[in-house]
Amino acid sequence: MTHTYKITGMTCDGCRSKVEKALNAIEGIEAKVTLNPPIATITMNEHIPIANLQEALTTAGKYTITIDSKTDVPSNTENVTTSSCCDSASHHSKETVNLHNNAHGKYYCPMHCEGDKIYDKPGSCPVCGMNLEKVPELNTSPKMYTCLMHPEVIKDAPGSCPICGMDLVPMEPTDSEENKTYKDLLFKMKIAVGFTVPVFAIAMIEMMSDNPLVKIMPITNWNWVQLVLSLPVVFYACWMFFVRAWKSIITWNLNMFTLIGIGTGVAFLFSLIGMFFPNIFPNEFKTEQGTVLLYFEATTVILTLVLLGQLMEARAHSQTSSAIKELLKLSPTEATLVIDGKDKVISIHDIKKGDFLRVKPGDKIPVDGKITDGESSIDEAMITGEPIPVDKKVDDAVIAGTINGNKTFVMIAEKVGSETLLSQIVQMVNEASRSKAPIQKLADSIAKYFVPIVVIVSVITFFVWAKFGPEPRLVYGFINAIAVLIIACPCALGLATPMSVMVGVGKGAQSGVLIKNAEALEKMNKVNVLITDKTGTITEGKPSVEKVFSTQNEENNLLQNIASVNQYSEHPLAQAVVNYAKTKELKLFEVKDFEAITGKGVIGTVTNKKVAVGNEKLMEQVNATVSADLENKISTEQKLGKTVSYIAVDGIAVGYVSITDAIKATSIVAIKDLMNQGVEVIMLTGDNENTAKAVAQELHLSAFKASCLPEDKLKEIKRLQGEGKVVAMAGDGINDAPALAQADIGIAMGTGTDVAIESAKITLVKGDLQGIVKAKNLSHAVMKNIKQNLFFAFFYNVLGIPIAAGLLYPFFGILLSPMIAALAMSFSSVSVIVNALRLRNFKL
C-alpha cells in the first residue's frame, strides 16, 4: 500500500535528505521525500501507525508528519511557497517548485544553494552570486510562421503569405537566451578592455623615472583622465560584481565576489579620496609631485580579469542545453498519417497512439511503434551506436529519430511525445547536465576564511593605530587599514585559474584535446574509472573485411565474385566487401539477375556462376550445401564476435567472409597506459556478448557489459559514482549522450556525433583513446600549476598583511605604503603569469 503524507519543518535539501533517511530506516517501508511540495510518498508492506513515523522523524529533527488530503495531487503540478534556511530576507516570497518536473524554461542556481529553488527571471543567486542558469525546454512545440506585413497570418509550416506573397518567417526569435547572455558579457568585456588599457598604460608610464606624460600635462590632470576612463568599467561593465559582493556580505556567504568587491571597492574609494582630499595623507604616501598614488589601474585591471573569467564561464554554460537542442533536431517535424487508405501529412505533435503512419525511404521515424506492413533496413546508430543497419519486418519495433533505409513501410504509433525513447534520452541528458557544479570552488573556499580574517585585521589595525599610534592617529589608522585591504586584494587571484586554464587549453588543442572549462581539467586529474563505448571509440566505428576464406584456396577469385555482387547493394556490409576488393585492386565483373533479399543477403550471376552471399537463412533459401568442416570454421569465427557471411557458388558453400570493426591501433597502448596509472577501464557497448567479450579479452579490460541501452550505461555510471568513484565516459554516439553528461568527465570522439560532443566536457579531435592519456597528463600538470598560482596569488599578500598593519613600525619605523602594497600585488601577478606560461613547454 502507498500513502502520501505532508511533512512540515523542512527548509532545505539537507532537511529533505534527513527526513527521507529517517523514514527509510523503519523496517518494511520505502519512502520518497520531496521538498517542493513537502510530501513523503511511503510504500509499506502493512499499515504502520503515523505515531511510529513521527517518532522516527523526531529523532532526526523538528519535523512533523501528518495526513492531508490536499497532498494527494501529482507532485509535478503542485506549487508551494516556502522559505529556505538559506534564504535571504528579500527572497522569502519566491516561488519554489519541483525542479525536475515543472521548471523547464525557468532559472536555478548551479550551486543549488537553496536546494531545488527556481526563479521566474534571470539574474544572480541571492546566496552565492552566481549567474542563474536556465532549465532547458524539453518539449518541442510546433514552430509557427507569420508574415511581417500581415501578422494575422499564422501557419505551422514555412511558405508564402496568402495575402502579399512574402516569405513567412518564424514567430520565435532564433537567438537563444544563453547566447544573449554571452553576447551581453562579450560587449561589456569590450567596453572594459577599451577603457582599462589606457588607464593601465598611464599608470605604468607614470612609474618611469623620466615620465613623458608630464611634458603633455600635469600628473593631476592625468589622474582625472584615469578617473573618467575607469567610470565605465566600474559603474557599467563590472558593476554586477559589486552587487554580488554586497549580497554575499549581507547573507554572509563569502566568496570570490566578496574579495573582488571589497578589494577593488577600497582601491577605488581610496583613489577618489586621494584625488579630492590629498592633504589628509602623510607625505610618505605621496609621489614626488605631491600627489597621492592612485589605484584606478588596479581597480580596472582586476575587474576586467574577473569579467574575463565570467565570459569564459558564460561560454561554457551556453553549451549546457546545446546537446538537448541537437537531440531535438533528430525528431522530424512532420509525419505521414494513413487514414481511410489515403496519406495525409500532419505535424508530429498531432500524432496519437494507435495512428497508422507511412515511413518513406530516407525518412526519420516519427515516434516509437511497430511495423504493420512492409519491411526495411533501419539505421539505429543514434540509439545503439552500431553502424550496421538493422533489418526490420512486420511486428518489429521501430524507434523515433532512427532513419529508414530504401523501402517504405507502415507502422502503428505506440509511444508519442515524452514517452518515446528519444524524449527519455533528452530528459536524461537534461538532468545529468544540471547536476554539474560550477568551477571556482577552491577560490571560494579560500575566500570563506580569508575575507573575514583580512577584514578583522584591517579593523584591528585602525583601532590600534587610533589609540596607540603617533599623530595624526586617525589618519595613520585609516591609511594602514586601507593598506591591509589593498595588499590583501586578490589581484593575482583573478589570474591564477584563468591563466593556467587558458594556457593548458591551448596546449591541449595543439595535441587534439579540446577542453571546455576548468572543471574538466580539475576532475580529469582525479578520474579513477574510465567507461568507454566500443564502436567508434575503441574501434574504428565502421565495418571492414578481416578475411575471405575459400575451401578451394582461391580467396582473391572468390572475393572478386562476391564484391561484384555486392557492388549493387547499399548495405554497409556489402560496401565493406567492395572496399576490401578495391584495396586489392581487383576488377569487378558485370552481374546479372541481381537480387537483395532483406535480412538474408544478396544473390546474382557472375561469369555464368550463381553467387550467393549472406547468412544461414540465405543458404537454406538457395538450397546450398554446407560442409561440416566449413560450419565449424564459421562457428569459430562467430564465437570470436565476428560478423560472418556464407559464400555459395552454384549451390555449394565454398567459403565465408569475416567482417569486423577493427580496434584502433592506439587503443591497446592507451588503455595499458591508463591502467598503469591506476584507472579502471570498463567497456559498455550495445554490441552482442561475443563481440564485446572478444574485444575485452584482447585489450585486457577491467570489465565489460554488452547489449547496453542508454539507460543501462547511465545506471552503471551512477552506481560507480555511488561507490565514490570519479568516472570519465568516452563515447561517440547519440546513445552515449546521457552517460557523457552524467559522468564526472564526458569525453567525446571528434569523429562522433554533434550530440555526443555537446554533452562532453572534453573532445578528442582525432577520435583516439591516446588523447585521454594526454588529457589526464595535461590535467595533472594544469592543476599543479593552478595550486602554485594560488600560492603566488596569496603568498605576497599574506606576508605583507602584518607589515601593512604596522607590525614593524615599533621596531624599525617601517610602514608599508599603498605603493609597496601595489608592488606586492603586481609581483604576485607577474609570478602567476610566468608560472602559467611554463605549461606551454609541457610535453604531453
Side-chain angles (χ1 to χ4, degrees), residues 533-565:
D533 185 33
K534 179 183 73 69
T535 305
T537 305
I538 290 177
T539 65
E540 296 289 350
K542 50 188 178 182
S544 58
V545 174
E546 185 175 86
K547 67 178 177 179
V548 175
F549 173 78
S550 172
T551 58
Q552 302 171 354
N553 296 322
E554 295 180 356
E555 281 81 5
N556 282 348
N557 182 45
L558 193 59
L559 172 60
Q560 199 169 18
N561 286 333
I562 63 175
S564 298
V565 176

Side-chain angles (χ1 to χ4, degrees), residues 191-192 194-200 202 217 219-237 268 271-272 275-276 294-297 299-300:
I191 296 293
F195 286 96
T196 296
V197 169
V199 172
F200 183 75
I202 292 171
M217 58 182 178
I219 289 296
T220 53
N221 291 353
W222 284 111
N223 288 343
W224 279 101
V225 172
Q226 290 188 65
L227 171 60
V228 172
L229 291 174
S230 66
L231 292 178
V233 180
V234 174
F235 293 100
Y236 172 67
F268 186 74
S271 301
L272 286 179
M275 280 190 62
F276 292 105
L294 307 181
Y295 300 97
F296 291 121
E297 91 286 352
T299 302
T300 55

Side-chain angles (χ1 to χ4, degrees), residues 1-14:
M1 63 186 75
T2 301
H3 298 295
T4 302
Y5 299 87
K6 182 178 180 180
I7 307 293
T8 55
M10 297 190 301
T11 57
C12 64
D13 193 59

Side-chain angles (χ1 to χ4, degrees), residues 369-401:
K370 275 183 185 175
I371 295 178
T372 59
D373 182 30
E375 57 184 24
S376 186
S377 293
I378 297 177
D379 182 358
E380 294 186 340
M382 56 84 64
I383 296 296
T384 64
E386 302 305 317
I388 301 173
V390 180
D391 294 327
K392 299 282 185 175
K393 59 184 183 301
V394 173
D395 290 334
D396 284 346
V398 290
I399 304 171

